[in-house]
Amino acid sequence: MNREQMSRIAHANHPIKSPIDDDSVRELLEHGISRPDARVLDLGCGGGEWLLRALSTSPRLRAEGVDTSEDALAQAREAASGLGVQERLVLHHEAAADFVSAHSFDLVLSVGAAHAFGGLLPTLAAARKHLAPGGRVLVGDGFWEKEPSPEAVEMLGDLADLATTLDRVTADGWTPVHGHVSTRRELDDYEWACWGSMAAWALDHPDDPDSSQVLSTAATRRSEWLRSYRDSFGFVCLVLRQTSN
């Protein structure tokens, strides 16, 4: 089973692919969408969950998503059709870092996809290219709550602490107008959901040739979380405006 198939199973019960609960997602979108007829872009949209929620709550909103996974985009199209919002959603099958649009956007979001750009600041640089005057960016990325172990750094990257992360963002020309730091419950719920869903799938499909691989992967990832980064990893979402347009 490939990584994309495993990810789909892992997120079956947590479609937002970040440690954020439904209430937090709703609040972040409310702070990010500044007008009812906004145009929204998601760089690295996956299955389009953020866009689908925005479209469902704002009947005049228009949205576009960019992702390299054709399977995830197909899921987004199917879900959009089921919600009746497909006519207001445009999806692009390409690398988010390479995406070019003829128009700008009132909200550009990229949550949990900084790896596609090479880090948080490169993600913001990509978002800035698509931002309309006075527009907002909704970005989400990890940080270290405590000194990480070498194993955690190897797994999750060379992150900074929260204060340093904000210092770097503001020095890059952005002003936070809203933020959310994932709670311990959100962080734990996400991990339990991902590895629990994989384990449950494996146990429910004992005759599948991939069952043992999926069960083993779930056990390994759960152990890595508990032993290597649970006590040090944090996640922050920021709604940003350019300090000077």
Side-chain angles (χ1 to χ4, degrees):
M1 183 177 292
N2 62 39
R3 183 176 179 180
E4 189 168 312
Q5 291 171 312
M6 283 199 186
S7 178
R8 184 169 186 175
I9 293 171
H11 292 94
N13 294 313
H14 202 296
I16 294 291
K17 295 184 178 181
S18 294
I20 315 168
D21 65 21
D22 291 340
D23 289 339
S24 300
V25 169
R26 181 171 58 253
E27 183 178 351
L28 286 161
L29 286 172
E30 287 174 354
H31 284 271
I33 299 171
S34 58
R35 43 189 288 182
D37 60 346
R39 192 187 294 269
V40 178
L41 171 67
D42 189 345
L43 296 171
C45 67
E49 190 66 30
W50 286 87
L51 297 178
L52 294 171
R53 296 188 186 202
L55 288 163
S56 296
T57 56
S58 300
R60 294 167 56 197
L61 183 143
R62 293 163 293 169
E64 298 188 33
V66 186
D67 205 272
T68 57
S69 171
E70 183 56 50
D71 180 65
L73 295 176
Q75 294 177 50
R77 291 188 188 96
E78 181 179 354
S81 179
L83 293 170
V85 300
Q86 68 276 11
E87 293 184 359
R88 294 184 286 126
L89 177 64
V90 178
L91 298 169
H92 306 273
H93 182 214
E94 61 181 286
D98 298 332
F99 176 66
V100 176
S101 176
H103 49 256
S104 56
F105 295 84
D106 303 296
L107 173 64
V108 179
L109 65 94
S110 186
V111 178
H115 58 276
F117 302 92
L120 178 58
L121 294 187
T123 302
L124 292 175
R128 182 182 275 118
K129 297 176 183 178
H130 301 289
L131 200 61
R136 302 181 182 193
V137 171
L138 169 51
V139 66
D141 199 18
F143 68 93
W144 295 127
E145 287 190 330
K146 298 179 181 178
E147 188 68 26
S149 66
E151 294 81 10
V153 174
E154 183 176 354
M155 275 186 254
L156 301 175
D158 188 19
L159 306 171
D161 61 33
L162 182 58
T164 301
T165 298
L166 268 292
D167 286 345
R168 292 174 178 173
V169 169
T170 56
D172 195 46
W174 300 93
T175 296
V177 296
H178 182 68
H180 173 75
V181 175
S182 294
T183 64
R184 168 54 58 196
R185 180 173 181 175
E186 286 176 304
L187 291 160
D188 284 353
D189 283 353
Y190 178 70
E191 300 285 349
W192 285 122
C194 287
W195 317 134
S197 292
M198 288 179 63
W201 182 91
L203 295 173
D204 289 341
H205 298 81
D207 297 327
D208 191 289
D210 293 319
S211 179
S212 60
Q213 177 199 4
V214 173
L215 188 61
S216 174
T217 300
T220 298
R221 297 291 181 264
R222 185 176 60 249
S223 179
E224 289 173 345
W225 161 52
L226 292 171
R227 298 179 184 277
S228 297
Y229 65 86
R230 179 177 183 266
D231 293 332
S232 57
F233 179 75
F235 196 84
V236 61
C237 290
L238 300 169
V239 178
L240 305 169
R241 295 180 61 179
Q242 293 187 91
T243 304
S244 57
N245 291 318

